[in-house]
Amino acid sequence: ALNYIFTFMIWMNISKGTILVPLFFLFSCSGEVSLSVTFPTERKAGWELVSDELYVNVVYDLWEYKSCLLVPVADMKTGHNLWIYDKNTGKRIWSGINDGRGPGETMSGLQNTYFADGVLTYYDDMKGSILRYQIDSILAGSFLYREERYDPPTWTMSVVESGDNRLFMKNVGYSSPDLHEVSRFELQDRAGHTLCQYDYSPVSDPELRFYEYMYTPYSASPDKSRLAIGTLHGTVLETYGIGQDSIAPIAVRVFEDPDIDVSSGGYDYNERTVLGFYDIYAFDDRILAAYDGEVNPYWNSGDRQTYTKIAVFDWEGNPLELIHTDYKIERLCYSETENTIYAAVMDRDGIMYLAKMEL
């Protein structure tokens, strides 16, 4: 497998309309390996289940707060979009945020959430609203929230709040006339004024890039000054610094290129498709990722569980540790005070649970 690394040696301030050119490239080749990344340390660890079965097909995110786990979900039975669990007992203690267009309701916000300072934020592009829910008020028996207008730039897929600004991550359609006009990143202030744009991507083919970054896992550091992005296929890890008026790369590590077959209206795996990152959670000095790193087993009728590993990187994109676990990892978060990973995990029968693992 061809492994190559882009490393950016200086911090540059990107003004609107300026394109950043990578300053330094290091290429190296290696032989075929079972994992596309070489980790200096590997070990096995088991999950401790903390909840009963989660009767839901998709968990969209996971946040740890005080004694609780916040679980944005699409509960088709109740129409609720948030579950709150006691992380010590594993009991669900609240279910709410209705699906809809009414006050305090959301339509697509659970797909793009942000949590800080006790406030869970849903960015709802279908409703055109930003909804901010005070978790302490919910736990106290009331339901305090704030709703404001949301009008993101065209082609926005995800949003990260950084101080008084918002970073919009966009993914333009490969057949769109906007293809060469829309930047991948755009930093705006709260008034909607563009502070800077940045348009580099390690995936150069427009069709492949569109599908690879449609639902890309990402996470911001606790102070929201850095951003980590991974690919679903292959192994590409990008880290960026977010300034007051700048977005600049820290490192872009392309350990293995994404390899999928793109066709009109979709894509499919092939015999070379390596599964990459499924979820990412970043904190001050490390980046955790639900990771696979092996060829898709369904192509060769294999039955191994996918995405059972936790990959640990530093902010320079250097691999630090690989932890082999016993469940598929759907979503994960980390408690620094407890040095514990919390996760939504799935067994071989497709049943999902909340679980924890002390590091």
Side-chain angles (χ1 to χ4, degrees):
L2 177 65
N3 295 345
Y4 52 101
I5 299 171
F6 299 93
T7 302
F8 298 81
M9 303 303 292
I10 66 172
W11 182 282
M12 295 187 66
N13 193 24
I14 317 299
S15 62
K16 184 177 181 181
T18 302
I19 298 176
L20 182 68
V21 178
L23 300 175
F24 177 82
F25 300 84
L26 173 63
F27 294 83
S28 66
C29 295
S30 65
E32 293 290 332
V33 293
S34 58
L35 292 176
S36 59
V37 186
T38 300
F39 292 86
T41 302
E42 294 191 33
R43 63 186 174 95
K44 294 182 179 180
W47 290 104
E48 178 186 345
L49 302 182
V50 298
S51 75
D52 294 330
E53 296 180 18
L54 303 182
Y55 292 100
V56 68
N57 292 326
V58 180
V59 169
Y60 285 93
D61 218 330
L62 185 66
W63 304 94
E64 183 255 354
Y65 178 62
K66 295 183 177 179
S67 63
C68 300
L69 294 175
L70 313 180
V71 191
V73 296
D75 187 336
M76 305 303 291
K77 183 177 180 180
T78 64
H80 291 169
N81 285 268
L82 178 66
W83 290 344
I84 301 180
Y85 279 79
D86 185 309
K87 68 182 182 183
N88 298 310
T89 66
K91 301 298 183 182
R92 190 193 306 176
I93 57 177
W94 192 83
S95 176
I97 303 183
N98 292 327
D99 188 24
R101 292 186 178 274
E105 297 178 341
T106 184
M107 296 186 68
S108 64
L110 76 166
Q111 300 178 28
N112 193 352
T113 65
Y114 164 86
F115 183 72
D117 302 322
V119 177
L120 180 63
T121 301
Y122 281 25
Y123 295 95
D124 194 328
D125 54 353
M126 291 183 65
K127 189 180 178 184
S129 297
I130 299 175
L131 299 109
R132 303 184 188 277
Y133 304 97
Q134 295 185 19
I135 300 302
D136 284 331
S137 76
I138 291 175
L139 297 175
S142 57
F143 184 70
L144 299 181
Y145 70 92
R146 186 172 78 253
E147 189 165 349
E148 57 193 83
R149 183 181 176 184
Y150 180 50
D151 187 20
T154 305
W155 298 107
T156 294
M157 299 298 294
S158 305
V159 189
V160 171
E161 295 199 5
S162 179
D164 294 329
N165 302 325
R166 293 190 183 114
L167 177 66
F168 297 94
M169 292 176 278
K170 295 175 283 184
N171 188 25
V172 62
Y174 54 83
S175 60
S176 169
D178 296 336
L179 180 61
H180 301 293
E181 305 296 329
V182 176
S183 62
R184 184 181 174 202
F185 300 101
E186 181 173 341
L187 188 67
Q188 293 186 358
D189 61 22
R190 295 301 175 93
H193 300 130
T194 298
L195 303 174
C196 72
Q197 298 186 73
Y198 176 66
D199 199 30
Y200 171 76
S201 172
V203 182
S204 58
D205 179 82
E207 293 180 88
L208 179 60
R209 181 171 65 241
F210 176 73
Y211 289 111
E212 201 58 49
Y213 289 105
M214 183 176 292
Y215 299 109
T216 183
Y218 69 93
S219 180
S221 62
D223 64 0
K224 313 306 175 188
S225 67
R226 290 169 294 173
L227 175 69
I229 304 173
T231 54
L232 290 171
H233 312 103
T235 307
V236 181
L237 180 64
E238 305 169 70
T239 58
Y240 294 89
I242 308 172
Q244 286 295 322
D245 58 357
S246 65
I247 170 73
I250 300 171
V252 178
R253 300 262 176 163
V254 184
F255 298 99
E256 183 152 353
D257 285 304
D259 190 341
I260 54 177
D261 292 334
V262 177
S263 59
S264 178
Y267 72 89
D268 199 358
Y269 299 134
N270 58 48
E271 69 276 10
R272 301 175 304 278
T273 301
V274 170
L275 302 181
F277 301 107
Y278 205 69
D279 193 30
I280 289 178
Y281 188 86
F283 50 105
D284 287 332
D285 61 346
R286 284 174 290 172
I287 298 165
L288 302 176
Y291 174 68
D292 192 276
E294 300 182 53
V295 172
N296 168 37
Y298 308 113
W299 178 265
N300 57 13
S301 300
D303 63 351
R304 72 173 180 86
Q305 288 181 290
T306 57
Y307 299 106
T308 59
K309 308 175 187 76
I310 299 171
V312 186
F313 297 85
D314 64 20
W315 278 96
E316 296 294 332
N318 298 309
L320 301 178
E321 184 180 27
L322 187 65
I323 304 172
H324 299 261
T325 80
D326 46 351
Y327 285 80
K328 178 183 178 182
I329 305 163
E330 295 283 323
R331 296 291 180 264
L332 78 169
C333 64
Y334 175 71
S335 169
E336 292 195 60
T337 57
E338 302 172 15
N339 194 27
T340 296
I341 300 174
Y342 290 93
V345 300
M346 182 180 291
D347 66 15
R348 286 184 172 273
D349 296 322
I351 299 173
M352 206 177 308
Y353 306 87
L354 296 178
K356 68 178 181 178
M357 177 189 298
E358 295 183 10
L359 293 181

